Amino acid sequence: MSYLELLGRVAPETIVAITALVVIAVDLIVMREEPMRNRFWVCAGFAIIGCVIAALWLSVLEAPRVSASTPQSLVGLMFMDDLITRLVKTALLTLTICSIILSLGAKFTEHVGEYLGLILFATVGMMLLVSSTDLLMIFISLELTSLSLYILTAFNKQNVKSSEAALKYFLFGGMSAAFTLFGLSLVYGLSGSTNLAQIAAALAPANGHPLDPLLIIAIVMTVIGFGFKIAAVPFHLWAPDAYEGAPTPSAALIASGSKLASFFIFAKVMMLAFAHAGGSGAWHQYASGWLPALAILAALSMILGNLAAIVQKNVKRLLAYSAIAQAGYALTGLLANDSQGMSSLIFYMITYGLTVVGAFAVVSVAEQGSEAQITSFAGLGRRAPLVSFCMMIFMLSLAGIPPLAGFFGKFYLFAAAIGGTSGLGLLWLVILAIAMSAVSLYYYLQILKQIYVVPAPNDAPKILVPISTQVILVLLAIGVVALGCAPNLLLGRLLVAMQASGM
């Protein structure tokens, strides 16, 4: 396959990468002397157009070629082009567009082209990541995504916390990359292959590879590496600082798109490559493997994330600990280790991504250039009614209140865990998840209390909400309500895509 043919087969990623270069060139060559507002609007316009074209290519132009029965592998089985990866990539592009819109009018940087270009390069990395079926491509895509996000975290030079957060994020990320690389190299040494399907066949017990100590070490190293990416306890220490210090649009992309891509590839690696080493984390049915390890991570993430969020005064840190707890819920679906668990995980992460981007959009309105303390939301209900109403939808959805998307997402996750191969053996984890969801309601309501009950200070500044932020907030809120009332809008497509992809 020639390079030209290769670029044609990965056209959506190519379109986004070329768009990133165009955005940088336009800002450096054409718009450099223009006012900051004009530079942001023009460059963001190019970036959004590129993402829309890539999304249309995925969902419309190429849809007839990728039929339900013909998932296509590319470049020696390194990429998989099937319906489920296309759906996830479309979701990633949607979350990227939302993050770009949040950047409009930002004042934290003068390097507009570089900032938006890095957002697009991070998106390319995430899109390649979800398509990868080869260990080498998974690692390269992870690093492309991670390096872009490290720089995006440090982009606010006016805030020393931004640099501090980026340094911590980079150091923890570098350590996790080492664990990941060590684990994947052991997997290659044991199986003699870097392809996920071939690894599963080589590591099957019938081929003389029971769960020996070297394979256990490989699995542990791999779980540590991916555990950092999804911010599961005890690999979560970077998340609160990164969320707090990063510019709000960067934090929104880290919390939404990065989490979706990382969870998807994590589930794919564990369910495909280590299919014969799952074991069991069910009550009184313990068996060695990666499932009991993930059960422990899920329980710790739910407990620590929710309890730590209660005492947070900064809303970004609160959302970070909330994200850690949400990672625990999501792992519950992965423990089902079947197609229903996978579809519930993807549904949950997509709806969570939409919700958390909306929450960060409201935070960008409330912080008004200062730190996003919880008291910054005092009286917001009277000062910005539309924004406050959207925030109420996002908070209640994160808490899992019906009929919002967060409720159905959790319901589907827990149903998958109970209905999986472990049966009622995972009921202990589901009960813990429900109890922790009740705990989470406390700190989400604390934000709503500030918005609707606590009066605004007399010297509170006037709230100016950009029209672009209002539009994206309303669209996200409508999406959260619609996916809660009619989950089949997304879930039906997910199930069809899962069946077509043979997962």
Side-chain angles (χ1 to χ4, degrees):
M1 180 179 289
S2 67
Y3 280 113
L4 191 59
E5 291 174 319
L6 174 61
L7 290 175
R9 302 297 289 273
V10 290
E13 290 85 350
T14 307
I15 292 170
V16 179
I18 292 175
T19 303
L21 298 176
V22 169
V23 167
I24 294 172
V26 167
D27 184 55
L28 289 178
I29 299 172
V30 182
M31 301 294 296
R32 179 57 77 184
E33 303 301 326
E34 296 292 325
M36 186 68 69
R37 176 183 172 83
N38 294 349
R39 290 171 60 194
F40 254 114
W41 276 88
V42 171
C43 293
F46 276 103
I48 291 172
I49 290 172
C51 291
V52 170
I53 293 174
L56 288 175
W57 188 288
L58 284 167
S59 57
V60 180
L61 298 180
E62 285 285 278
R65 188 174 68 80
V66 183
S67 66
S69 58
T70 57
Q72 300 186 23
S73 59
L74 309 176
V75 200
L77 302 177
M78 296 184 84
F79 297 96
M80 182 60 72
D81 186 23
D82 55 13
L83 290 177
I84 191 66
T85 57
R86 283 173 170 261
L87 200 152
V88 174
K89 285 194 281 190
T90 304
L92 288 172
L93 288 167
T94 304
L95 296 171
T96 300
I97 291 172
C98 294
S99 300
I100 291 172
I101 293 175
L102 288 186
S103 306
L104 293 173
K107 300 176 182 176
F108 55 79
T109 181
E110 297 178 352
H111 304 282
V112 178
E114 295 91 326
Y115 179 75
L116 294 174
L118 280 168
I119 288 181
L120 294 175
F121 281 130
T123 305
V124 173
M126 290 185 276
M127 294 171 71
L128 290 174
L129 188 60
V130 299
S131 294
S132 301
T133 56
D134 185 275
L135 297 182
L136 290 175
M137 278 310 303
I138 289 172
F139 186 76
I140 292 171
S141 303
L142 270 177
E143 290 310 295
L144 173 59
T145 305
S146 300
L147 290 173
S148 302
L149 294 179
Y150 300 152
I151 304 171
L152 286 172
T153 304
F155 236 85
N156 187 357
K157 294 182 179 178
Q158 304 163 10
N159 184 2
V160 68
K161 287 187 176 179
S162 181
S163 302
E164 179 185 344
L167 181 60
K168 289 181 180 176
Y169 194 10
F170 172 73
L171 292 176
F172 277 104
M175 192 168 61
S176 81
F179 276 109
T180 306
L181 197 57
F182 185 40
L184 298 184
S185 63
L186 286 177
V187 172
Y188 174 72
L190 287 167
S191 64
S193 174
T194 56
N195 179 268
L196 296 183
Q198 294 173 6
I199 289 171
L203 295 182
N207 290 329
H209 284 285
L211 197 59
D212 60 38
L214 202 55
L215 180 57
I216 292 175
I217 295 174
I219 292 174
V220 169
M221 295 294 111
T222 306
V223 169
I224 290 175
F226 284 107
F228 167 86
K229 301 299 179 187
I230 63 173
V233 175
F235 317 111
H236 66 288
L237 296 176
W238 61 274
D241 292 319
Y243 278 46
E244 181 185 5
T248 301
S250 303
L253 186 64
I254 294 170
S256 57
S258 172
K259 293 287 285 286
L260 170 60
S262 299
F263 260 108
F264 183 80
I265 194 63
F266 184 31
K268 189 193 280 187
V269 169
M270 303 311 288
M271 292 176 64
L272 293 183
F274 301 130
H276 303 290
S280 174
W283 191 260
H284 288 173
Q285 301 172 32
Y286 174 81
S288 299
W290 53 269
L291 284 172
L294 293 193
I296 295 171
L297 292 187
L300 292 176
S301 299
M302 287 186 283
I303 295 171
L304 189 144
N306 281 305
L307 295 183
I310 290 175
V311 297
Q312 301 303 315
K313 302 301 180 187
N314 184 292
V315 178
K316 284 186 175 179
R317 293 186 72 87
L318 186 150
L319 289 174
Y321 282 106
S322 164
I324 293 165
Q326 303 282 348
Y329 304 141
L331 285 173
T332 306
L334 180 52
L335 287 168
N337 196 19
D338 57 16
S339 59
Q340 186 182 355
M342 186 70 172
S343 60
S344 68
L345 174 65
I346 299 172
F347 179 88
Y348 186 74
M349 292 313 302
I350 291 177
T351 55
Y352 171 74
L354 296 174
T355 308
V356 79
V357 167
F360 272 106
V362 178
V363 169
S364 69
V365 172
E367 61 184 354
Q368 294 284 306
S370 60
E371 292 193 355
Q373 298 297 324
I374 194 168
T375 53
S376 305
F377 289 78
L380 195 67
R382 293 179 180 275
R383 299 156 67 199
L386 178 63
V387 171
S388 302
F389 183 72
C390 293
M391 188 62 164
M392 182 178 68
I393 292 175
F394 300 141
M395 291 295 100
L396 294 181
S397 179
L398 287 173
I401 301 298
L404 302 172
F407 166 77
F408 190 83
K410 287 182 181 176
F411 173 80
Y412 196 40
L413 280 175
F414 301 158
I418 293 176
T421 54
S422 299
L424 294 178
L426 289 174
L427 187 61
W428 68 274
L429 196 62
V430 173
I431 292 174
L432 177 65
I434 293 172
M436 288 296 107
S437 292
V439 172
S440 72
L441 189 59
Y442 172 79
Y443 55 81
Y444 291 129
L445 289 180
Q446 286 297 311
I447 296 177
L448 297 181
K449 176 186 173 185
Q450 291 288 328
I451 292 175
Y452 287 109
V453 178
V454 178
N458 294 329
D459 59 345
K462 186 178 180 181
I463 297 288
L464 296 175
V465 185
I467 187 67
S468 57
T469 303
Q470 294 187 45
V471 171
I472 198 67
L473 274 173
V474 170
L475 291 177
L476 288 170
I478 291 174
V480 170
V481 175
L483 290 176
C485 296
N488 207 42
L489 291 173
L490 175 60
L491 192 55
R493 292 189 64 191
L494 275 176
L495 292 174
V496 170
M498 292 288 298
Q499 187 177 10
S501 304
M503 295 184 72

